[in-house]
Every structure is written in C-alpha cells, then in structure tokens.
C-alpha cells in the first residue's frame, strides 16, 4: 500500500519548518511506510480560511483529498496538524452536508474526496512503524527527559479527529519511550500556544508559550518534542523573546518527534535539520549514544 | 445502702482520646469519686464488645448505677440503657456524660480536655447516685386518626391510613376537597393534567368506608394527648342538607347572583352565590355564600332570621327534593366531638397575593397575574377554557414575561426562603404558553434555576432548548404600563446589560407562604412553627414528619414549600407513622415527666395554685385539679401534670415559685448534687 | 448596554439565524462558564466566550458581531472539547467572524488579525500555496506598525534558509483562483 504525502506549506523546502518535512522523509526511508507526495497539492486554507469563510476553507481542503483519490491513495499523511485537522473536518463537513458537498464540487471541479483516510504523523508511526523502530534503533538517549507537547490540533475536536485522549494524550509519549528517551508527565500537553497569532498578536503568543515553557521546565524537561510546525515556531523561534520578556532562562530545545526518531535510528543531525533550530539542539543530539 | 456506680470511659477511636486522657479520667473516678466501685476505658463503648463489657461488669461488680462517658446522649443513651436492661438494671440508672461534642471536639489542649472530662464525669456520677428507678408510662390508644386539610397531602394521608384498616376523619375548611392541586392545569415534570390524576383520589376518599369526610368544617379545639386526643370540629352551616341534596345543579343554575368572583378561578372567573367550587367537587353539593347571597344580605340588613327574608328564594323554590327540601336557610353551625389517637396536619399553603410589589403595580395592572392565576388560564376547566388570554381585553399575548422569585428569596419583602416549586412551574408555564401560542415569545427572568428532582433538570432545559423560552438572569426592577403594553425593566447579568421588554402579559412566580391562620392552628394543636410560620418538624433530617407534639404529624406545604411528589411522599410518611402508632393497644412513653407534689392532709400539696406553670407549658400538659373534702367541697385547686402530654421540658419546674413541681430523673436534689460536685478553683 | 425586546425586534431571530447557518445549538448553552474558564485568550477579550453565546441567545447581534472576542479566539477548540452541553463554541466563533465580515462589522481594533487572514488567503489565491515572504510582505504593508516586530528573527531565518524569496506556484493555480471566485461571500 502506498501512502500519499501532503506536506502542507509550512514544512516544504525553504519554509519556516522545513526540517520537519526533511526529517519525516528521512525517517520514512528507514522505517517506512513508503510515502509519495501528492502531485500539485495546494494549501488547505489553514486558520485564515476557516476563520473567515467556511465554504472556501472546505473547498481548499477537499481539493487535496480529491487529488489524493484521483491518484488512488487510500490514506494520506499530513504531518502538519493544522493541515490534518482541516482536511479531516472538511471531509466530515461534506460527508454530513449534501448542499455544501455540491457547492464544493462545483468550486473544485472534481468529485469530493470523501473516502481517503487522513492521518497525522503520530498515527502513521504508531500504526506502521513501531516494530521497525524497535528493530532498527541504533542509539538511545537514556535519561533525556522529553516533554511531549501535542498542542491543540492533533487532538481537538476529539469527536471528529478521534485521535488519542484530548486531555492526556499518550501516542507521542509511547514513541519517545520506544526510541529510548524518557517522556515526562506534565500538565501542558494540550495547552494552546497561540498558533496562528504569531504575526498578528505576538503578545498573546508570548504569554501562552511562556506558560508552556515554564510548565515543561518545572517538570524537569530537557527538551520539548512537538509534531506541529506552528507549535515549533512559537516555542523555538520566539523562545529568546519570551526569555527576555519574562526574565527567565529556558534554553529548552524544541525538537520534532521525527528528528528524535531520526537520531535514534543513527541519522545525522544536520541531515535531519537539527541545525535549523533557533534554540541550540546540541544537548539533545549529544544525549544520543 | 450506697449505690455502686461503674464508670465507663469511651475513647471513641481517637475522637475523644486525642484530646482527653481517658485512662486518667477512669483512674480519677475510681480513686476519688464517692460511690464509684469500678471504672474502666474502652475503644468503642457503643460497639457490640463495648456493650458486652458494660453488661458483664454490671453483673460481675454488682453495679447499681452506670455512667458512660462518651458522645452526646442523643446518640447512644438508648443503646447503653437497653444494654443495661438485659442485666436487670433499671434503664434510668444509666446516665451518659458527654465528653465528646462539648469537650474533646471543642478543645485542643489535652490537659484542659482531661480536666473538663473529669469534672463532667464527676457531676454525672453525683446525679447517678441519686437516680431513682423509673418505669415507662403506658397510655391506651384510640384507633382512629384525624387528618386536617383535604388537599393532596390530606387526601394521600387519609387514604393510606384508611387503607391500613383504621378509621379516618378528614376535615376540610372549603366546600370541596382537592386543595390547590385541583386548580392546577398540568403538572411537572410529566405534563399530565392535574385534575385527571387528582379526581380519582378524591372520589376514592368519598367512597372509602373508613373515611368520614367533613367539608366546610374546621377544627375548633384539640385536647388530650398522644393516643387520646379529644377533638371538636365545627361544621359550618352551609344552608344545604348534605343528606338530602343530590347535587342536581338546579339551584346554582337559577341563582341570580352570577357575578361573584370565583375563589377557585383565582378571581378570573365568576360563580353564583349558591355554588360548588368546581365541577368535580367532592362532595358535589353546593354551599351558600352568605356574604353575597341576596337573601342573607337582606336578612342582615333587616336584622331578621334569614328564613324570614322574602327577597329571593329561587334556590329553595327550584329544589326538587320532597317532601323536605335540601335547602335550609335556618341551618346552624354544628359542633362534632371525636376521639382520635393521632393527627395529621395537612393544612397547605397560601400563594403570595398580588398586592405586595409596588414596583410591579401592586395588583393594579390586570395583565400582571400570579402563577396560580396562570394555572387557571391554562386549565381546560378554567375561565378561558385553557386559552391564554389577557384578563384585561381577552387578547392573546404575543410577548409574555415570567418573573421568578416574586416574594421568595426577598428578605426586604419579608421572605428569605426559596419557594422551591416556582422554577419548575415557571418552566412549565413557558412550555404551556408555547404549546398554546405557537408564534408567541416567552421570557423568563430568574436568579438561579433550581430544579433538583427526578427528571426536573431535563424538564426545565426542555423549556429553553425545545420550546424556545428565553431565560434572562436577573430580577425585574419595574413594570409599568405604556398604552396597551406592559414595559418590563429587567437585567441580564450574564451579559451585564439592561433588558427592556414590551410585554403583553406578565406572570409572577409568587411565593408559597404559610396559611394566614397558621399560628392559630399551631396554638390549637400545641405545635411549634418557624420564623416563616411553617410548622416545625421535630428534627430536620431524622424526624421530618413528626411535629413537636407527640402523636401529631405533618404533611405537605404546611411544613414548608413543597411540590406534589414531595408532598405525597411526606403524606405517606406521616400515614406510616400514624399506622405504627395505631397498631398497638398501649403506648410506652419516656417517664421523664413533671410531677406536682402531693402530701398528706392537711397540706395536700405545696402547690399554691398560681398556675404560672400552666401558662408556660408549651404542650398544654398542666391541668387544674380540685382537691375536695369528703362532702365534695373544694379545699384547694392545684396543678396536675397530664403525663400523656408532658414532654419533660422542665419549664414548669423552673417556673414554679413554691418548688412543688419536679421533673422525674432531674430532681432538684440531683441537679444541685451535680453543681455542688464541681471543684471551683 | 441595553437590550430592547418588542414585537419588531425579537431576540430569538438572531439566535435562529446563527443556528440555521451553523447547526450549532446555541440555545442549549446553560451558561456554566466552563468555556471561559479554560479559554487561553479570554484575558484579552472584551466579552468572555460564554458572554458571546449569551449575546447570541438574547439577540444582541451588533454586540456579538462587533466584539473583539470573535477575532481573538485562537480556534484551539478547548471550549468545545470540554463543553458539558456539547455546544460547538469555537465553531460558533467561525460563523460569527464570517457574519461580521459579510456585514462589515469586524472590530477595527483587531485589524491586525483580519489583515493577516486577508494576506494569507491572497497568497494562497495567487500561488496555490503560501509563500511566506510574500504573504509577510503584504501583511506588513497593510499593517506598517507591525513591520518592526519580527525583525529580530528575520536575519536568522534567512541564515537558516527558512525564508525563501521565490514563491512556489502550483500548476493548478488557476483552479485555485476559480475556487476563490466560486466561494466569494455574498
């Protein structure tokens, strides 16, 4: 079975979170599953579309599902949770509303892709690659305490996404455990980082991310693992500013779960994109032996 | 021979022992208290092994008095006394010294707690040394019950007691039984028609062979005591002979006074001067309203006997009963005397009248009505046959406003309590309104929505979610008239905004108040009532249907605001209590009662006959007794305590100026012995 | 604020309109406040989330649509997730934003947020995907006051290769602009 790959704008080459995309691809080459980029995919519309125009938001997302179905993918991987959440919600909306479905089909000039399964990155790893990880693991990071940060979009709305426990998710923790690091129990796993307000209301983002960083630090985290480019951007790129504003020292590397898997598989840190982070990731890289 | 007292000090786990050195208390008792021949401690005296210890030591040590230093006597006095009885010791030789509630629980310093416990136990030991053996008082039981009030509470209680095989006398002050429930349209939370579920119960009462029904009657006086009450009932003259009348309706059809405001229809409809309150009335026989009847008015004016007036005799003339007509203008009140063993008070409530809130117009706006008035509007048997129409012009209101907590939770208007039923009946009103006026808009002002009952929360949410009533959180400050509209000035505190509604009609969820004559009834029955004049239960949790007077029980809203299910449950509870009481031939009562001394001639009694005791006795237990010479002449009149009525409160003993009254088990000698044993330092 | 209710201005109409448009059962909210309790951005809002629902319930259309709150909602969906009555509050915010834009009522104090959404969607419309540099450029032109706020990170982004100046145009970008045309709000 081949899995369609929908990277989304934020993690493509040259974008803010390209290292997420790079590490996802690299890891997949080692432990599978095989993924293929959906030809000519387009933006899902993200928060800007759903915040202002429901029909547009639905059409922009469903276009990609329809493309995936045209290319006969039964399942697609959307590592960016903003994308996976929008794709899943939009698919459900057209499934539930015939009028909307007809309008969307008129706009995208294709039948709606109502059958293709959309999976986030944690789901893909859990469903296809856990055994592979166990077999191919080369290094472990014993004693590296990792705060798994899921954010909003992986788990909410739970009734639609049907993924993990929205108040205390465990999927990423299980993966971290499988690659020989130590997931910690902490209180801010699904708190909001301010997401899309990074440009328009940076003040809000700074406050929310400070809460998260403080929570992780108090719980003794050496690093925060994420699976979302927006969470990453807010926690990593803004960490200096947060430290300045709140007069605190965090210095907590923010790493993608795919990067952590890559390190455990013995892949090179630079190749995984760990040099692209704002907060130095050396301590994490060095923890792998 | 001196008494041999045993002292048993309870640890109560650590409840007592944490703040009281129990071993030291026992040691002190054994060493220093006169009369104490044995003392010990035990982890839990109330436990089975604790009680066994008590029994064993009474026997082994030959104890003739026992002090258990433990929790409040309210908790386990009976436990320890019953344990002692099994050894043959008189139960009143066993006393409890409370070293928990008023000692260990209120002190932190163990030295202080221990010292106080030592004092308390010593005091109780002194009392015990002077305890006399007492025997339970036995009184015979009259196997008949009186139920006062013929609303749903009285009906339920009467039926339950009668079904249990006991005779019941049901007294109702109105012309028909049914009470407020008969006035209601639909009932929450099921919306079944109130009359449809009530009238079968009313018919059952009428047909029950064990129930004797007195309507248009009132309890005049109650004497006697539990098991033996003497009751006088006044049957008010209704000017209709109930035995002869067949309820054929001819009389009220011809009555010329047709514009009298119907009490049953909350003055929204009219009735005649000779009338039955509503079609399903039990008994279905009329009564003449003498205030409005032309004949009686004429008789009063001319000061002649009514039967001599010739102004209008239409009802008499039309009455088809022969040879003696059922209409009897000369009929007079009649007093019936009955003996009963138990009484259920079910006198119900009164709706707060519509003239209390000046800011809501004090009743001057016809279209501002009370909850009960809305019930009549919504009722199929009501003045509009169930159509919601404004009293002023008969128009259908398109915007209706319901205001909750009118007279409830409003200390400034003299009522601090929650009437408990209004949240539910307002939700019901909003629902009924929407069922009847589909295009209408219902607004409800509330402070809280209190719907704690089975299926209640769901019901109230239905009004909002399914029927589309808009709930606004806030009180209404003012209602005033503007053209045909009523301007309602309210608030919605959830948005922090003022709300101004142009309404067509306003319904006030008026408070449930105690009946106007509640105090009179309470005095007649010697029962207590609270600050809001609702009758007081004996214990708010554990004795909810007993009044403060033994043998008198409470049911329904006379004890506090209640809805139908709760009323019926309480009425059945009261009935169960009555049946338990009537099931025995004799009653045993605690012998802790007062006694006025009797001495040999020529003194007879130190009582000087001032009867201060009679005035202070809350239970009417003090009687006057003539002490007569052989020839029948009265030597002196002295007080006597009716043991059946006396509750052992001791007020008479405290009041008596000649020290002639003593409370058994609490004699002056005992009390002084207790006080004198305290070491003051 | 004063809410006037009479036969011409019935409160229930706005609630009905919102319900019809969104399928969200606004009436079912019983105002427990749990949404407000858990909202990460509530401290910045002019109306608390529960008050927004309340405004809809009692028909305060203008107050709801001109509120800053609807724009400050971060769509984290914590409220909907924990709502005991399963009222989709976050989703309601989407609908209110949409209505506010249609009626020209969007609160000008949150222009940064609306401009960001516009710039974002313009970039999608033009290229089919987001070109971060060009989107940012448009946004900063629209909101010049924000121009300096992200300058601190910009050089580092360039160094790390995170700001690509060449927009990626997808092959089907004409199809995308047709989608925009067909989905234009009325």
């Amino acid at each position: 079975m081949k899995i369609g790959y929908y990277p989304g704008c934020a993690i493509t080459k040259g974008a803010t979170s390209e290292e997420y995309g790079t590490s996802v691809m690299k890891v997949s080459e080692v432990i599978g599953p095989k993924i293929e980029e959906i030809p000519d995919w387009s933006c899902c519309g993200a928060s800007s579309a759903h915040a202002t125009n429901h029909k547009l938001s639905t059409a922009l997302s469903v276009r990609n599902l329809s493309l995936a179905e045209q290319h006969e993918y039964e399942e697609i991987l959307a590592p960016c949770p903003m994308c996976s959440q929008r794709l899943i919600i939009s698919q459900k909306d057209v499934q539930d509303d015939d009028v909307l479905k007809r309008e969307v089909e008129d706009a995208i000039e294709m039948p709606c892709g109502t059958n293709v399964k959309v999976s986030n990155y944690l789901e893909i790893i859990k469903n296809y690659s856990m055994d592979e990880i166990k077999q191919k693991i080369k290094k472990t990071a014993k004693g590296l305490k990792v705060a798994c940060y899921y954010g909003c979009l992986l788990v909410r709305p739970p009734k639609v996404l049907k993924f993990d426990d929205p108040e205390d998710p465990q999927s990423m923790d299980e993966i971290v455990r499988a690659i020989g690091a130590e997931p910690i129990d902490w209180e801010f796993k699904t708190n909001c980082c301010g997401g899309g307000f990074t440009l328009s209301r940076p003040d809000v983002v700074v406050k929310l991310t400070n809460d998260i960083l403080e929570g992780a630090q108090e719980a003794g985290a050496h690093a925060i693992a994420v699976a979302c480019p927006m969470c990453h951007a807010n926690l990593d790129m803004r960490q200096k500013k947060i430290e300045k504003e709140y007069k605190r020292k965090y210095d907590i590397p923010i790493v993608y779960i795919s990067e952590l898997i890559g390190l455990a598989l013995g892949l090179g840190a630079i190749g995984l994109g760990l040099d692209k982070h704002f907060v130095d990731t050396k301590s994490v890289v060095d923890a792998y032996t | 021979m001196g008494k041999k007292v045993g002292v048993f000090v309870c640890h109560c786990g650590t409840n007592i022992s944490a703040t009281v050195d129990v071993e030291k208390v026992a040691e002190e008792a054994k060493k220093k208290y006169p009369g104490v021949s044995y003392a010990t401690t035990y982890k839990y005296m109330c436990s089975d092994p604790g009680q066994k210890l008590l029994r064993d030591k009474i026997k082994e040590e030959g104890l003739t008095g026992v002090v258990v230093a433990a929790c409040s006597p309210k908790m386990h006095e009976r436990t320890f006394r019953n344990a002692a009885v099994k050894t043959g010791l008189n139960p009143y030789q066993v006393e409890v010294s409370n070293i928990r509630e008023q000692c260990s629980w209120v002190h932190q310093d163990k030295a202080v707690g221990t010292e106080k416990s030592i004092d308390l136990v010593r005091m109780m030991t002194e009392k015990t040394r002077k305890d006399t053996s007492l025997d339970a008082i036995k009184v015979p039981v009259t196997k008949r019950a009186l139920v006062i009030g013929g609303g749903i509470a009285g009906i339920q209680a009467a039926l339950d007691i009668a079904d249990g095989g006991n005779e019941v006398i049901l007294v109702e002050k109105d012309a028909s039984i049914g009470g407020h429930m008969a006035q209601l349209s639909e009932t929450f939370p099921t919306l079944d028609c109130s009359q449809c579920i009530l009238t079968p119960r009313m018919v059952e009462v009428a047909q029950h062979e064990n129930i004797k029904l007195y309507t248009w009657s009132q309890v005049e006086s109650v004497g006697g005591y539990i098991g033996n009450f003497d009751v006088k009932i006044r049957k008010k003259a209704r000017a209709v002979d109930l035995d002869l009348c067949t309820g054929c309706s001819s009389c009220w059809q011809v009555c010329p006074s047709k514009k009298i405001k119907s009490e049953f229809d909350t003055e929204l409809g009219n009735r005649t001067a000779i009338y039955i309150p509503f079609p399903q009335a039990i008994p279905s026989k009329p009564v003449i309203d003498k205030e409005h009847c032309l004949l009686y008015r004429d008789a009063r004016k001319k000061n002649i006997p009514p039967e001599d007036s010739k102004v209008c005799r239409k009802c008499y003339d039309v009455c088809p009963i022969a040879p003696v007509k059922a209409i009897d203008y000369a009929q007079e009140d009649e007093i019936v005397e009955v003996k009963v063993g138990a009484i259920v008070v079910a006198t119900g409530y009164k709706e707060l009248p519509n003239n209390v809130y000046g800011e809501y117009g004090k009743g001057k706006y016809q279209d501002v009505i009370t909850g009960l008035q809305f019930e009549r509007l919504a009722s199929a048997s009501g003045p509009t046959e169930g159509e919601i129409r404004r009293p002023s012009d008969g128009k259908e209101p398109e915007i209706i406003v319901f205001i909750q907590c009118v007279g409830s939770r409003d200390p400034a208007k003299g009522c601090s309590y929650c009437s408990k039923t209004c949240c539910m009946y307002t939700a019901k009103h909003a629902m009924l309104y929407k069922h009847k006026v589909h295009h209408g808009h219902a607004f409800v002002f509330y402070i809280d929505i209190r719907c704690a009952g089975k299926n209640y929360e769901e019901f109230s949410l239905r009004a909002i979610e399914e029927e589309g009533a808009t709930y606004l959180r806030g009180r209404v400050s003012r209602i005033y008239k503007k053209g045909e509209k009523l301007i309602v000035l309210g608030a919605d505190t959830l948005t922090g905004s003022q709300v101004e509604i142009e309404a067509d009609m306003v319904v006030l969820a008026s408070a449930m108040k105690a009946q106007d004559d509640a105090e009179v009834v309470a005095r007649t029955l010697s029962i207590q009532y609270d600050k809001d004049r609702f009758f007081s239960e004996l214990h708010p949790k554990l004795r909810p249907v007993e009044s403060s007077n033994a043998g008198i029980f409470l049911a329904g809203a006379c004890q506090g605001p209640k809805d139908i299910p709760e009323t019926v449950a309480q009425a059945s509870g009261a009935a169960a209590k009555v049946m338990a009481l009537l099931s025995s031939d004799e009653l045993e009562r605690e012998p802790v009662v007062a006694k006025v001394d009797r001495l040999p001639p020529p003194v007879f009694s130190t009582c000087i006959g001032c009867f201060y005791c009679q005035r202070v006795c809350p239970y009417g237990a003090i009687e006057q007794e003539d002490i007569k010479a052989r020839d029948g002449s009265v030597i002196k009149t002295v007080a006597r305590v009716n043991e059946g009525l006396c509750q052992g409160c001791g007020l008479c003993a405290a009041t008596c100026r000649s020290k002639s009254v003593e409370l058994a088990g609490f004699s002056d000698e005992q009390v002084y012995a207790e006080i004198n044993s305290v070491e003051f330092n | 604020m004063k809410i006037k209710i009479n036969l011409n201005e019935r409160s229930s109409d706005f609630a009905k309109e919102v319900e019809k448009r969104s399928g969200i059962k606004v009436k079912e909210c019983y105002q427990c406040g749990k949404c407000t309790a858990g909202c990460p951005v509530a401290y910045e809002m002019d109306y608390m989330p529960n008050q927004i629902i309340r405004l809809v319930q009692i028909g305060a259309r203008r107050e709801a649509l001109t509120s800053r709150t609807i724009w400050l909602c971060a769509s984290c969906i914590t409220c909907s997730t924990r709502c005991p009555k399963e009222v989709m509050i976050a989703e309601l915010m989407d609908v209110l934003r949409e209505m506010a834009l249609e009626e020209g009522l969007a609160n000008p104090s949150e222009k940064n947020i609306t401009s960001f959404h516009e710039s974002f969607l313009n970039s999608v419309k033009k290229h089919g995907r987001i070109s971060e540099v060009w989107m940012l450029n448009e946004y900063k032109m629209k909101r010049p006051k924000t121009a300096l706020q992200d300058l601190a990170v910009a050089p580092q982004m360039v160094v790390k290769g995170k700001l690509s100046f060449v927009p990626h145009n997808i092959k089907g970008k004409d199809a995308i602009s047709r989608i925009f045309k067909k989905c234009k709000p009325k």
Side-chain angles (χ1 to χ4, degrees), chain B residues 398-399 441 443 461 464-465 471-473 485 492 494-495 497-502, chain C residues 1-7 10-12 27-28 30-31 51 54-55 57-58 85:
Chain B
E398 283 184 77
I399 292 184
H441 302 271
F443 297 89
L461 288 182
I464 300 167
E465 294 170 10
Y471 273 59
L472 298 155
R473 203 212 157 274
K485 301 281 184 185
D492 180 59
L494 294 169
T495 47
S497 49
Q498 292 185 310
V499 180
E500 183 183 313
I501 304 181
E502 275 182 31
Chain C
M1 182 177 45
K2 186 159 192 166
I3 296 157
K4 291 203 170 195
I5 297 165
N6 54 46
L7 274 182
R10 283 183 302 259
S11 74
S12 42
K27 278 189 298 197
E28 295 193 359
Y30 57 17
Q31 292 290 320
Q51 289 181 311
R54 189 69 191 144
L55 292 171
Q57 283 178 330
I58 64 174
K85 297 280 285 171

Side-chain angles (χ1 to χ4, degrees), chain A:
Chain A
M1 191 185 102
K2 52 177 190 172
I3 289 175
Y5 180 48
Y6 178 83
C9 310
I11 70 174
T12 50
K13 196 106 198 102
T16 14
S17 307
E18 69 166 319
E19 65 270 31
Y20 188 22
T22 319
S23 54
V24 165
M25 292 299 290
K26 291 243 151 117
V27 166
S28 128
E29 282 161 19
V30 183
I31 55 166
K34 211 172 144 43
I35 52 178
E36 292 173 1
E37 189 163 326
I38 300 165
D40 213 38
W41 59 267
S42 53
C43 174
C44 69
S47 54
S48 291
H50 85 78
T52 56
N53 185 332
H54 182 236
K55 192 159 87 174
L56 177 67
S57 162
T58 313
L60 287 174
S61 289
V62 173
R63 175 178 184 271
N64 295 298
L65 301 175
S66 302
L67 282 179
E69 285 191 5
Q70 271 185 3
H71 292 91
E72 296 177 348
Y73 295 113
E74 285 171 28
E75 182 171 0
I76 58 174
L77 161 63
C80 168
M82 178 87 248
C83 302
S84 62
Q85 189 218 43
R86 287 326 312 165
L87 294 177
I88 294 169
I89 291 177
S90 299
Q91 186 175 50
K92 185 172 185 305
D93 284 352
V94 290
Q95 278 168 353
D96 291 352
D97 184 344
D98 278 343
V99 177
L100 180 68
K101 189 178 170 194
R102 275 197 299 278
E103 286 174 350
V104 166
E105 285 178 344
D106 178 49
I108 65 174
E109 298 156 3
M110 279 185 279
C112 285
T114 50
N115 295 316
V116 62
K117 178 177 188 271
V118 181
S119 296
N120 65 49
Y121 187 58
L122 301 177
E123 260 175 314
I124 291 286
I125 295 295
K126 273 196 70 185
N127 291 344
Y128 298 102
S129 308
M130 289 304 267
D131 290 342
E132 294 284 319
I133 287 177
K134 276 171 204 154
Q135 284 161 24
K136 297 193 173 153
I137 191 162
K138 292 217 171 79
K139 289 178 173 177
T140 56
K142 245 190 151 120
L144 180 73
K145 290 188 173 168
V146 179
C148 294
Y149 176 59
Y150 297 75
C152 312
L153 304 163
L154 281 170
V155 290
R156 289 191 289 261
K159 289 235 165 95
V160 182
L161 302 184
K162 299 186 180 77
F163 172 70
D164 215 328
D165 178 340
E167 301 297 349
D168 185 16
Q170 291 298 332
S171 337
M172 204 192 306
D173 295 64
E174 281 169 37
I175 296 168
V176 166
R177 210 172 284 121
I179 55 174
E182 188 187 323
I184 57 165
D185 192 16
W186 69 308
E187 302 294 340
F188 296 84
K189 280 181 168 181
T190 60
N191 270 43
C192 176
C193 70
F197 286 151
T198 191
L199 289 172
S200 50
R201 286 298 300 261
D203 56 320
V204 170
V205 171
V206 166
K207 184 201 173 286
L208 298 183
T209 36
N210 178 61
D211 291 345
I212 294 160
L213 287 168
E214 194 183 313
Q217 192 180 52
E218 279 174 7
H222 300 134
I224 297 175
V226 297
C228 170
M230 276 176 301
C231 299
H232 188 271
N234 286 336
L235 289 167
D236 181 51
M237 279 163 59
R238 297 231 175 252
Q239 201 173 117
K240 275 269 156 328
K241 188 175 163 63
I242 297 160
E243 288 181 335
K244 217 170 119 192
E245 207 134 303
Y246 285 88
K247 297 186 180 60
R248 289 190 66 131
K249 193 78 194 139
Y250 289 119
D251 230 346
I252 301 176
I254 314 298
V255 288
Y256 286 104
I257 184 68
S258 47
E259 294 173 328
L260 286 182
I261 301 172
L263 288 174
L265 296 173
L267 302 176
I270 308 254
L272 290 167
L274 281 150
D275 57 327
K276 301 241 171 202
H277 295 218
F278 278 44
V279 178
D280 197 348
T281 56
K282 191 166 177 295
S283 58
V284 176
V285 177
D286 291 349
Y288 276 85
T289 47

Side-chain angles (χ1 to χ4, degrees), chain B residues 368-390:
Chain B
V368 178
I369 62 171
T370 69
L372 210 48
Q373 287 184 308
F374 187 86
E375 293 288 343
R376 293 314 299 149
L377 282 188
S379 170
S381 72
T384 56
E385 290 177 334
E387 284 180 28
I388 306 298
R389 297 191 173 282
R390 311 209 304 179

Side-chain angles (χ1 to χ4, degrees), chain B residues 237 239 288 290 293-300 302-313 328-332:
Chain B
I288 293 181
K290 291 174 186 165
C293 170
L294 296 176
L295 177 136
Y296 283 91
R297 281 168 70 170
D298 180 57
R300 271 199 304 277
K302 295 185 181 141
N303 205 9
I304 53 170
E307 58 272 27
D308 294 348
S309 169
K310 302 277 180 297
V311 166
C312 168
R313 302 175 70 89
D328 175 8
Y329 299 129
Q331 197 182 62
E332 283 183 356

